[in-house]
Amino acid sequence: MTPPLPSTGVGPAAARARAAAPPPHPEHRGLRRSARRVLLANRNGTSTVPSRALYPHQWSWDSAFIAIGLRHLSPVRAQQELETLLSAQWGDGRVPHIVFNPAVPLDAYFPGPDFWRSSSAGAAAGAPRTVETSGVVQPPVHALAAWLVHRADPRASARRAFLAGVYPRLADWHRYLAEHRDLGGGGLAAAVHPWEPGMDNSPCWDGPLARIEPADPASFRRADLAHGAAGDRPTDLDYGRYVRLAAEYRETGYRDAAATHPFAVEDPGFNALLIASEYALARIAAELHGDAALHRRRAAARTEALVERLWSPRTGQFHCRDLRAGAASGGAGHGGTLVPERSAAGLLPLMAPGLPRPLVETLLRTVEGDHFGLGTRVRLLPSYDLRGACFDRNRYWRGPAWFNVNWLLERGFREHGEHARADVLRAEVLHAAAASGFAEYLDPYTGQGHGARDFSWTAALALDLLGRDADAAETESARDTAPGTGAAPSAPVPAPSPVPPSEKGP
């Protein structure tokens, strides 16, 4: 049985903010209770699974989002969520995308610890000996999460030396991405597996994956199809390619210098989150009387590289860069080519505080335009181009709307002063979370839930959006004028706006 949540121990500023905040709407009280129930039910000791059935281990960026929401219930447990994940960090600095629970049967999830064999195959890269993990990574949202968790209760954070404990690990994580994953030589981190950017089977990967020979279907058994419809999940062909890439990486000992990395893609969402987290790391360093300027310089340089390498004036958004496209045609492959597909990842650089205003304005038009239709054709941002040839309203990351992507977009709106847009999106996310039973993802036209229900990051991010009312005064007093200060307080949640009947999809 999960023990009761400990006292939050909030400080005077938080207490004043909560006292001054308007009473929550009755529906929001119910949503908060339901979200709390989900996080309690999915918690295992000091960490939280995304879903009891489908994802029974600890996932990297899931835990970051979970901590962001959990801070509104218990800042200490939110700190523990991140500390548990970072305790499985490798010696080379990477934070693995899965930390395996040894109590879970091996056949409950594939690829499991017997596939990755991290403690043995990854020994040369510094994989931990006492816990099994995967060998790939996920988007680096962790420093941003750590800063937000600290701000939820600075006194409890200081008492537990939370920031002092996680800062060196987060700095090593960012250093790994800078030193081991700048495969294009242009200042951006590259993903070496489709699982790493988080949008597992995005159409952006179709071209790069087409060069990969899939693994023999008889060599693995998919566990995900036991918990979801095959039409909602990646195809067997794609899965075979995922397995091939992971197995080849394992055979190199997960050492990036020794791997050929036939899949190497610079993803705008991944790098935008690294920029936002680098600014958060600057704030953490300042709190610890460290070198905050170093992190701000790195974030600014990465922002310049993001614009230079991934921005497309023609489409009005950022695109992935396939670093191996040149190699396939006989070139060195260092420059690569932009992937033509339009993904929601290409809009997430709105999270970057230093993004030039003309690009921000162009991205805002793209968000609401024909390809993504936010507020006109759909209520939540789809994961892929509504007009794209590969659009599928049901299949994993090829069209459905995801709660974490919309939470990031809402924060990006606020980062650039677009509070009215953010307020509307906030209302839509909360409405969808309640109506779908905290679904993993949604049909962007109808709002029908797909994937797992009682999904942890959906519940956690709903809690965070609900927490804006009570946290508004404290957040306002805590903001400063430096880049990367984060989201401003939002207005009370309005009712979701109707979508015209003629725009409800094909």
Side-chain angles (χ1 to χ4, degrees), residues 376-397:
T376 55
R377 301 179 69 190
V378 295
R379 288 176 170 170
L380 295 181
L381 186 77
S383 52
Y384 175 68
D385 182 1
L386 294 171
R387 301 178 63 185
C390 299
F391 175 79
D392 186 328
R393 61 201 296 170
N394 298 327
R395 194 179 291 275
Y396 213 61
W397 292 110

Side-chain angles (χ1 to χ4, degrees), residues 246-342:
E248 290 183 353
Y249 195 24
R250 181 190 63 207
E251 296 311 306
T252 68
Y254 302 110
R255 292 173 296 157
D256 292 291
T260 59
H261 293 316
F263 180 100
V265 175
E266 293 172 348
D267 177 78
F270 190 105
N271 282 279
L273 288 173
L274 181 53
I275 292 166
S277 275
E278 196 72 53
Y279 278 122
L281 207 56
R283 301 186 77 185
I284 294 172
E287 191 82 1
L288 298 172
H289 308 290
D291 189 356
L294 170 66
H295 297 295
R296 287 195 290 268
R297 287 195 300 271
R298 289 174 176 171
R302 196 175 295 274
T303 303
E304 291 181 8
L306 183 74
V307 173
E308 178 182 350
R309 293 182 64 78
L310 305 186
W311 176 251
S312 170
R314 182 182 64 81
T315 63
Q317 69 170 91
F318 292 85
H319 288 256
C320 297
R321 179 174 289 273
D322 179 1
L323 295 175
R324 297 298 179 248
S329 58
H334 294 301
T337 61
L338 290 182
V339 174
E341 305 294 347
R342 294 172 177 257

Side-chain angles (χ1 to χ4, degrees), residues 103-124:
V104 173
L106 289 178
D107 61 356
Y109 181 81
F110 178 85
D114 54 335
F115 173 88
W116 295 101
R117 303 198 294 273
S118 62
S119 61
S120 56

Side-chain angles (χ1 to χ4, degrees), residues 156-218:
S157 176
R159 186 169 60 249
R160 298 184 70 253
F162 170 64
L163 290 184
V166 300
Y167 173 75
R169 291 183 176 274
L170 293 169
D172 284 348
W173 169 215
H174 288 201
R175 188 178 303 112
Y176 166 78
L177 293 172
E179 295 179 357
H180 293 265
R181 289 301 190 85
D182 185 5
L183 303 180
L188 297 181
V192 301
H193 194 287
W195 288 333
E196 293 198 320
M199 302 184 182
D200 298 17
N201 68 322
S202 166
C204 294
W205 318 143
D206 290 356
L209 280 177
R211 299 189 295 268
I212 309 301
E213 181 69 23
D216 183 348

Side-chain angles (χ1 to χ4, degrees), residues 4-26:
L5 287 168
S7 169
T8 60
V10 294
R16 288 194 297 272
R18 282 158 173 73
H25 190 281

Side-chain angles (χ1 to χ4, degrees), residues 130-145:
T130 57
V131 63
E132 294 295 330
T133 76
S134 65
V136 296
V137 303
Q138 279 189 321
V141 68
H142 310 88
L144 174 60

